[in-house]
Amino acid sequence: MEAVSRTAQWTAAARALETEREDRLFADPYARTVADQIGFDLLERYAGGGTVPFLAIRTTYLDRAIVKTVQERGIRQVVFLAAGMDTRFFRLPWPDGVTVYELDRPALLAAKADMLKDEPQPAGRTRVTVPVDLTQDWTGPLKEAGWKSDEPVLWVVEGLLFFLPEQAVRTLISTLSAHAAPGSVLLGDVISKAALSNPLARSFMKALEEDGNPWLFGTEEPEELLADCGWAVREVKQPGEDGAHFDRWPYPVPARSVPRLPRSFLFTCDVPTYEEGSAA
């Protein structure tokens, strides 16, 4: 796999460790398999950035938001952008009739398929892998795989945006909005620009860069970014705030009014209604 794809195994290793806790927030019985030894090696290399608690909270926030969205909204198309070693297709309680599309680089999807080849496919749901480069056209291959642009979709953009330059981030989020039928939802995460130059995470950032996976993008105003790209922001949470704490976040949560601090953001967005678009 390409170097950037290896980070998916780092996050899988973090999910494995969370799963093995007695007070675990979620259970991912596949995480240790897809992490492989390299995932745990990278976790040890990167853990100085304080990533493990965040990865547990991010997974939990998105798990719960995904389940709630498909159950309450009746959405039956779920698309994971840069799906990596995500195993939610296997482990979440999907309603019957859901199709999960996983988009990522061909080599990663091939490696993941090999790792999970002996796992039984859960009944009542369909998984479709779509090998693409997300910096190129990917909507065409997704449509060819069966995705219907005129039906509501749940887009999930987890652990991706900080690896992209700003224009690529804006293009991607805008593309998601342009291809989102009424009732669609966007879930994901992003970091603050200050997090890119955080002195306490200097060794972590240096290790990412040395491994060919530099973090490139952050924003202090995720609400503005998402709105500019065509989304109605339902909520933005910092880990540790109500709804994104789960009795696990070990650090103080700085007020948004305090400038130049490293932050992570978890967000939930909807397709704007006509009235919302007019008001904007």
Side-chain angles (χ1 to χ4, degrees), residues 140-159:
L142 182 57
K143 289 179 181 178
E144 291 173 6
W147 168 70
K148 298 177 177 62
S149 60
D150 58 346
E151 296 181 7
V153 59
L154 170 57
W155 302 115
V156 183
V157 185
E158 179 184 21

PDB file of all heavy atoms in Angstrom, residues 140-159:
ATOM      1  N   GLY A 140     -18.025   9.339 -10.899  1.00  0.00           N
ATOM      2  CA  GLY A 140     -18.354   8.420 -11.990  1.00  0.00           C
ATOM      3  C   GLY A 140     -18.225   6.967 -11.568  1.00  0.00           C
ATOM      4  O   GLY A 140     -19.186   6.184 -11.730  1.00  0.00           O
ATOM      5  N   PRO A 141     -17.072   6.549 -11.036  1.00  0.00           N
ATOM      6  CA  PRO A 141     -16.957   5.170 -10.563  1.00  0.00           C
ATOM      7  C   PRO A 141     -17.975   4.805  -9.485  1.00  0.00           C
ATOM      8  O   PRO A 141     -18.451   3.672  -9.438  1.00  0.00           O
ATOM      9  CB  PRO A 141     -15.530   5.117 -10.016  1.00  0.00           C
ATOM     10  CG  PRO A 141     -14.783   6.153 -10.792  1.00  0.00           C
ATOM     11  CD  PRO A 141     -15.773   7.253 -11.018  1.00  0.00           C
ATOM     12  N   LEU A 142     -18.323   5.769  -8.622  1.00  0.00           N
ATOM     13  CA  LEU A 142     -19.309   5.481  -7.573  1.00  0.00           C
ATOM     14  C   LEU A 142     -20.683   5.212  -8.192  1.00  0.00           C
ATOM     15  O   LEU A 142     -21.387   4.272  -7.785  1.00  0.00           O
ATOM     16  CB  LEU A 142     -19.374   6.647  -6.589  1.00  0.00           C
ATOM     17  CG  LEU A 142     -20.327   6.486  -5.396  1.00  0.00           C
ATOM     18  CD1 LEU A 142     -20.001   5.249  -4.577  1.00  0.00           C
ATOM     19  CD2 LEU A 142     -20.292   7.744  -4.511  1.00  0.00           C
ATOM     20  N   LYS A 143     -21.058   6.008  -9.196  1.00  0.00           N
ATOM     21  CA  LYS A 143     -22.336   5.769  -9.874  1.00  0.00           C
ATOM     22  C   LYS A 143     -22.327   4.420 -10.588  1.00  0.00           C
ATOM     23  O   LYS A 143     -23.317   3.685 -10.563  1.00  0.00           O
ATOM     24  CB  LYS A 143     -22.625   6.904 -10.865  1.00  0.00           C
ATOM     25  CG  LYS A 143     -22.988   8.222 -10.205  1.00  0.00           C
ATOM     26  CD  LYS A 143     -23.238   9.310 -11.239  1.00  0.00           C
ATOM     27  CE  LYS A 143     -23.583  10.640 -10.578  1.00  0.00           C
ATOM     28  NZ  LYS A 143     -23.790  11.723 -11.563  1.00  0.00           N
ATOM     29  N   GLU A 144     -21.210   4.101 -11.205  1.00  0.00           N
ATOM     30  CA  GLU A 144     -21.106   2.808 -11.890  1.00  0.00           C
ATOM     31  C   GLU A 144     -21.231   1.641 -10.920  1.00  0.00           C
ATOM     32  O   GLU A 144     -21.681   0.553 -11.290  1.00  0.00           O
ATOM     33  CB  GLU A 144     -19.774   2.726 -12.638  1.00  0.00           C
ATOM     34  CG  GLU A 144     -19.679   3.672 -13.829  1.00  0.00           C
ATOM     35  CD  GLU A 144     -18.282   3.692 -14.440  1.00  0.00           C
ATOM     36  OE1 GLU A 144     -17.435   2.885 -13.988  1.00  0.00           O
ATOM     37  OE2 GLU A 144     -18.051   4.507 -15.355  1.00  0.00           O
ATOM     38  N   ALA A 145     -20.868   1.888  -9.658  1.00  0.00           N
ATOM     39  CA  ALA A 145     -20.947   0.845  -8.637  1.00  0.00           C
ATOM     40  C   ALA A 145     -22.360   0.676  -8.079  1.00  0.00           C
ATOM     41  O   ALA A 145     -22.596  -0.244  -7.295  1.00  0.00           O
ATOM     42  CB  ALA A 145     -19.983   1.154  -7.502  1.00  0.00           C
ATOM     43  N   GLY A 146     -23.280   1.585  -8.469  1.00  0.00           N
ATOM     44  CA  GLY A 146     -24.660   1.431  -8.059  1.00  0.00           C
ATOM     45  C   GLY A 146     -25.241   2.555  -7.229  1.00  0.00           C
ATOM     46  O   GLY A 146     -26.453   2.578  -6.966  1.00  0.00           O
ATOM     47  N   TRP A 147     -24.411   3.497  -6.822  1.00  0.00           N
ATOM     48  CA  TRP A 147     -24.905   4.626  -6.035  1.00  0.00           C
ATOM     49  C   TRP A 147     -25.833   5.494  -6.870  1.00  0.00           C
ATOM     50  O   TRP A 147     -25.568   5.759  -8.037  1.00  0.00           O
ATOM     51  CB  TRP A 147     -23.722   5.446  -5.535  1.00  0.00           C
ATOM     52  CG  TRP A 147     -24.079   6.783  -4.965  1.00  0.00           C
ATOM     53  CD1 TRP A 147     -24.732   7.049  -3.799  1.00  0.00           C
ATOM     54  CD2 TRP A 147     -23.790   8.061  -5.556  1.00  0.00           C
ATOM     55  NE1 TRP A 147     -24.855   8.399  -3.618  1.00  0.00           N
ATOM     56  CE2 TRP A 147     -24.288   9.046  -4.684  1.00  0.00           C
ATOM     57  CE3 TRP A 147     -23.147   8.451  -6.732  1.00  0.00           C
ATOM     58  CZ2 TRP A 147     -24.167  10.406  -4.944  1.00  0.00           C
ATOM     59  CZ3 TRP A 147     -23.027   9.799  -6.996  1.00  0.00           C
ATOM     60  CH2 TRP A 147     -23.530  10.762  -6.113  1.00  0.00           C
ATOM     61  N   LYS A 148     -26.926   5.944  -6.241  1.00  0.00           N
ATOM     62  CA  LYS A 148     -27.954   6.737  -6.937  1.00  0.00           C
ATOM     63  C   LYS A 148     -27.922   8.159  -6.393  1.00  0.00           C
ATOM     64  O   LYS A 148     -28.236   8.397  -5.223  1.00  0.00           O
ATOM     65  CB  LYS A 148     -29.330   6.109  -6.750  1.00  0.00           C
ATOM     66  CG  LYS A 148     -29.447   4.707  -7.335  1.00  0.00           C
ATOM     67  CD  LYS A 148     -30.819   4.109  -7.056  1.00  0.00           C
ATOM     68  CE  LYS A 148     -30.957   2.739  -7.709  1.00  0.00           C
ATOM     69  NZ  LYS A 148     -29.963   1.765  -7.171  1.00  0.00           N
ATOM     70  N   SER A 149     -27.557   9.098  -7.259  1.00  0.00           N
ATOM     71  CA  SER A 149     -27.397  10.479  -6.816  1.00  0.00           C
ATOM     72  C   SER A 149     -28.721  11.166  -6.510  1.00  0.00           C
ATOM     73  O   SER A 149     -28.731  12.226  -5.880  1.00  0.00           O
ATOM     74  CB  SER A 149     -26.640  11.283  -7.883  1.00  0.00           C
ATOM     75  OG  SER A 149     -27.353  11.286  -9.115  1.00  0.00           O
ATOM     76  N   ASP A 150     -29.839  10.585  -6.942  1.00  0.00           N
ATOM     77  CA  ASP A 150     -31.140  11.209  -6.683  1.00  0.00           C
ATOM     78  C   ASP A 150     -31.797  10.682  -5.411  1.00  0.00           C
ATOM     79  O   ASP A 150     -32.943  11.025  -5.112  1.00  0.00           O
ATOM     80  CB  ASP A 150     -32.079  11.005  -7.881  1.00  0.00           C
ATOM     81  CG  ASP A 150     -32.300   9.531  -8.213  1.00  0.00           C
ATOM     82  OD1 ASP A 150     -31.536   8.693  -7.706  1.00  0.00           O
ATOM     83  OD2 ASP A 150     -33.233   9.237  -8.984  1.00  0.00           O
ATOM     84  N   GLU A 151     -31.073   9.861  -4.645  1.00  0.00           N
ATOM     85  CA  GLU A 151     -31.582   9.358  -3.381  1.00  0.00           C
ATOM     86  C   GLU A 151     -30.703   9.857  -2.242  1.00  0.00           C
ATOM     87  O   GLU A 151     -29.509  10.084  -2.434  1.00  0.00           O
ATOM     88  CB  GLU A 151     -31.622   7.827  -3.386  1.00  0.00           C
ATOM     89  CG  GLU A 151     -32.595   7.250  -4.417  1.00  0.00           C
ATOM     90  CD  GLU A 151     -32.637   5.729  -4.388  1.00  0.00           C
ATOM     91  OE1 GLU A 151     -32.016   5.129  -3.472  1.00  0.00           O
ATOM     92  OE2 GLU A 151     -33.289   5.145  -5.275  1.00  0.00           O
ATOM     93  N   PRO A 152     -31.271  10.025  -1.027  1.00  0.00           N
ATOM     94  CA  PRO A 152     -30.464  10.523   0.096  1.00  0.00           C
ATOM     95  C   PRO A 152     -29.254   9.631   0.358  1.00  0.00           C
ATOM     96  O   PRO A 152     -29.310   8.411   0.198  1.00  0.00           O
ATOM     97  CB  PRO A 152     -31.440  10.494   1.272  1.00  0.00           C
ATOM     98  CG  PRO A 152     -32.799  10.549   0.653  1.00  0.00           C
ATOM     99  CD  PRO A 152     -32.682   9.817  -0.648  1.00  0.00           C
ATOM    100  N   VAL A 153     -28.179  10.266   0.778  1.00  0.00           N
ATOM    101  CA  VAL A 153     -26.934   9.540   1.043  1.00  0.00           C
ATOM    102  C   VAL A 153     -26.341  10.044   2.353  1.00  0.00           C
ATOM    103  O   VAL A 153     -26.488  11.222   2.701  1.00  0.00           O
ATOM    104  CB  VAL A 153     -25.927   9.729  -0.126  1.00  0.00           C
ATOM    105  CG1 VAL A 153     -25.600  11.192  -0.332  1.00  0.00           C
ATOM    106  CG2 VAL A 153     -24.662   8.915   0.108  1.00  0.00           C
ATOM    107  N   LEU A 154     -25.696   9.167   3.068  1.00  0.00           N
ATOM    108  CA  LEU A 154     -24.902   9.545   4.226  1.00  0.00           C
ATOM    109  C   LEU A 154     -23.437   9.491   3.819  1.00  0.00           C
ATOM    110  O   LEU A 154     -22.902   8.415   3.526  1.00  0.00           O
ATOM    111  CB  LEU A 154     -25.166   8.593   5.397  1.00  0.00           C
ATOM    112  CG  LEU A 154     -24.219   8.719   6.605  1.00  0.00           C
ATOM    113  CD1 LEU A 154     -24.232  10.131   7.175  1.00  0.00           C
ATOM    114  CD2 LEU A 154     -24.563   7.696   7.677  1.00  0.00           C
ATOM    115  N   TRP A 155     -22.810  10.663   3.747  1.00  0.00           N
ATOM    116  CA  TRP A 155     -21.383  10.751   3.465  1.00  0.00           C
ATOM    117  C   TRP A 155     -20.617  10.719   4.786  1.00  0.00           C
ATOM    118  O   TRP A 155     -20.979  11.423   5.735  1.00  0.00           O
ATOM    119  CB  TRP A 155     -21.024  12.062   2.766  1.00  0.00           C
ATOM    120  CG  TRP A 155     -21.683  12.389   1.469  1.00  0.00           C
ATOM    121  CD1 TRP A 155     -22.540  13.417   1.226  1.00  0.00           C
ATOM    122  CD2 TRP A 155     -21.491  11.744   0.198  1.00  0.00           C
ATOM    123  NE1 TRP A 155     -22.897  13.454  -0.103  1.00  0.00           N
ATOM    124  CE2 TRP A 155     -22.274  12.436  -0.759  1.00  0.00           C
ATOM    125  CE3 TRP A 155     -20.738  10.634  -0.218  1.00  0.00           C
ATOM    126  CZ2 TRP A 155     -22.321  12.073  -2.092  1.00  0.00           C
ATOM    127  CZ3 TRP A 155     -20.784  10.270  -1.554  1.00  0.00           C
ATOM    128  CH2 TRP A 155     -21.563  10.973  -2.475  1.00  0.00           C
ATOM    129  N   VAL A 156     -19.544   9.957   4.861  1.00  0.00           N
ATOM    130  CA  VAL A 156     -18.695   9.912   6.052  1.00  0.00           C
ATOM    131  C   VAL A 156     -17.262  10.209   5.617  1.00  0.00           C
ATOM    132  O   VAL A 156     -16.675   9.473   4.824  1.00  0.00           O
ATOM    133  CB  VAL A 156     -18.767   8.546   6.762  1.00  0.00           C
ATOM    134  CG1 VAL A 156     -17.916   8.574   8.034  1.00  0.00           C
ATOM    135  CG2 VAL A 156     -20.212   8.172   7.092  1.00  0.00           C
ATOM    136  N   VAL A 157     -16.715  11.315   6.148  1.00  0.00           N
ATOM    137  CA  VAL A 157     -15.366  11.759   5.811  1.00  0.00           C
ATOM    138  C   VAL A 157     -14.559  11.772   7.111  1.00  0.00           C
ATOM    139  O   VAL A 157     -14.482  12.784   7.804  1.00  0.00           O
ATOM    140  CB  VAL A 157     -15.374  13.151   5.148  1.00  0.00           C
ATOM    141  CG1 VAL A 157     -13.965  13.533   4.706  1.00  0.00           C
ATOM    142  CG2 VAL A 157     -16.327  13.170   3.964  1.00  0.00           C
ATOM    143  N   GLU A 158     -13.981  10.635   7.441  1.00  0.00           N
ATOM    144  CA  GLU A 158     -13.285  10.457   8.713  1.00  0.00           C
ATOM    145  C   GLU A 158     -11.780  10.348   8.485  1.00  0.00           C
ATOM    146  O   GLU A 158     -11.318   9.553   7.678  1.00  0.00           O
ATOM    147  CB  GLU A 158     -13.784   9.177   9.398  1.00  0.00           C
ATOM    148  CG  GLU A 158     -13.108   8.874  10.719  1.00  0.00           C
ATOM    149  CD  GLU A 158     -13.561   7.555  11.330  1.00  0.00           C
ATOM    150  OE1 GLU A 158     -14.081   6.691  10.575  1.00  0.00           O
ATOM    151  OE2 GLU A 158     -13.399   7.387  12.545  1.00  0.00           O
ATOM    152  N   GLY A 159     -11.024  11.186   9.216  1.00  0.00           N
ATOM    153  CA  GLY A 159      -9.570  11.076   9.156  1.00  0.00           C
ATOM    154  C   GLY A 159      -8.970  11.351   7.799  1.00  0.00           C
ATOM    155  O   GLY A 159      -7.945  10.769   7.447  1.00  0.00           O
TER     156      GLY A 159
END
